[in-house]
Amino acid sequence: MKHSPWRGAAVAVVAVVTVLPMLPVVLWAVAGAWRYPALLPPELSTRGLRLLLGDGVLAALGTSVLVSTSVALLACLVGLPAGRALGLHRFRGRRLVQFLLLAPIIVPPLAVTLGLQVFFIRYGLADTVAGVVLVQLVPTVPYAASLLAAAHADLDTDHEQAARVLGAGPVATLRHVSLPLLRPALVTAFLLTFLISWSEYVLTLLVGGGRVTTLPLLLFSAIESSDRTAAAALGLLVVAPPVLLVLALTRVAGRDVAWMGVSRA
């Protein structure tokens, strides 16, 4: 199969547009002093690397991974039955349910958080990792439910019915039939909700109260302090895990889509 030369050119353009803005960030991360009109840093420094290896940054990295992974898993867990109900069934008030589901991302998150913060304080969830995870479900569950509703709308339920006819129970049908068919959508929903949680700043700051420190909090703090080396190093650290996750999950989703296409053919 021959590939069009335009396809290679388009890939090259996308790669350049994606990578080029990161070059100044990489240079600032290793720059000792970089002043105008120097085109490149006159001297290099390992201060940015030493900063990334500090206990505070490593602890924030661990907290970010824990919070984002928990939020993504819970959002998919909640969004799966909600998406099934919205995607497969037609019932009175369905449009209203869809609107209410999307309301948290239509309304400014700051207003929603200020209202929820009272309940978090009352039930002892403020300034805790659990509280940050729960509040970040507000903007992530709507996306997960919407994606999984679209996937369920295209789901061929004949496979599930065939499994039941052959004696499979609800759990076995879900595990061996429904989830494999929905795996590409689940991977997409997990990835999207993980990225939303990973970059969340306002909700984490308000509910975490500064005691739950994630990488975006450290990054914004470095930007406000005008420490460009620290900001660039932290920016690279913030970007790296999502990029690796996108590459890994894209390969998984791509294999699943290819397998599904072959099996249907």
Side-chain angles (χ1 to χ4, degrees), residues 6-98:
W6 292 106
R7 179 179 179 183
V11 172
V13 170
V14 171
V16 170
V17 172
T18 303
V19 175
L20 192 60
M22 295 300 299
L23 291 180
V25 180
V26 175
L27 292 176
W28 269 116
V30 297
W34 191 9
R35 297 181 178 85
Y36 179 83
L39 183 61
L40 295 174
E43 60 182 31
L44 302 180
S45 172
T46 59
R47 187 170 71 89
L49 178 60
R50 294 197 305 269
L51 174 69
L52 297 184
L53 296 177
D55 293 339
V57 175
L58 294 178
L61 174 62
T63 303
S64 293
V65 172
L66 174 62
V67 169
S68 299
T69 304
S70 301
V71 169
L73 289 174
L74 290 174
C76 291
L77 186 63
V78 175
L80 184 61
R84 185 176 183 87
L86 294 174
L88 290 182
H89 304 288
R90 298 294 181 268
F91 52 88
R92 182 176 298 178
R94 179 172 173 270
R95 293 295 182 183
L96 178 60
V97 173
Q98 289 178 319

Side-chain angles (χ1 to χ4, degrees), residues 43-229:
E43 60 182 31
L44 302 180
S45 172
T46 59
R47 187 170 71 89
L49 178 60
R50 294 197 305 269
L51 174 69
L52 297 184
L53 296 177
D55 293 339
V57 175
L58 294 178
L61 174 62
T63 303
S64 293
V65 172
L66 174 62
V67 169
S68 299
T69 304
S70 301
V71 169
L73 289 174
L74 290 174
C76 291
L77 186 63
V78 175
L80 184 61
R84 185 176 183 87
L86 294 174
L88 290 182
H89 304 288
R90 298 294 181 268
F91 52 88
R92 182 176 298 178
R94 179 172 173 270
R95 293 295 182 183
L96 178 60
V97 173
Q98 289 178 319
F99 174 77
L100 293 176
L101 185 64
L102 295 176
I105 60 177
I106 298 175
V107 178
L110 182 60
V112 176
T113 307
L114 290 176
L116 291 175
Q117 194 175 20
V118 177
F119 295 96
F120 280 82
I121 294 174
R122 179 177 300 176
Y123 293 105
L125 292 172
D127 303 339
T128 64
V129 173
V132 172
V133 170
L134 289 176
V135 77
Q136 289 190 10
L137 291 177
V138 174
T140 53
V141 167
Y143 287 104
S146 299
L147 284 170
L148 293 172
H152 277 95
D154 295 332
L155 180 66
D156 188 357
T157 56
D158 290 342
H159 294 87
E160 297 179 342
Q161 294 176 0
R164 296 190 190 99
V165 169
L166 293 174
V171 176
T173 302
L174 175 65
R175 179 181 177 184
H176 298 291
V177 180
S178 303
L179 290 182
L181 292 174
L182 293 170
R183 189 177 299 171
L186 284 170
V187 170
T188 304
F190 179 90
L191 178 59
L192 179 59
T193 52
F194 181 93
L195 294 177
I196 293 173
S197 173
W198 182 266
S199 59
E200 183 57 56
Y201 173 76
V202 175
L203 301 182
T204 304
L205 179 63
L206 291 178
V207 175
R211 296 185 179 180
V212 180
T213 304
T214 59
L215 287 179
L217 266 64
L218 293 182
L219 176 59
F220 276 88
S221 177
I223 293 174
E224 291 176 356
S225 66
S226 299
D227 188 344
R228 295 183 179 181
T229 299

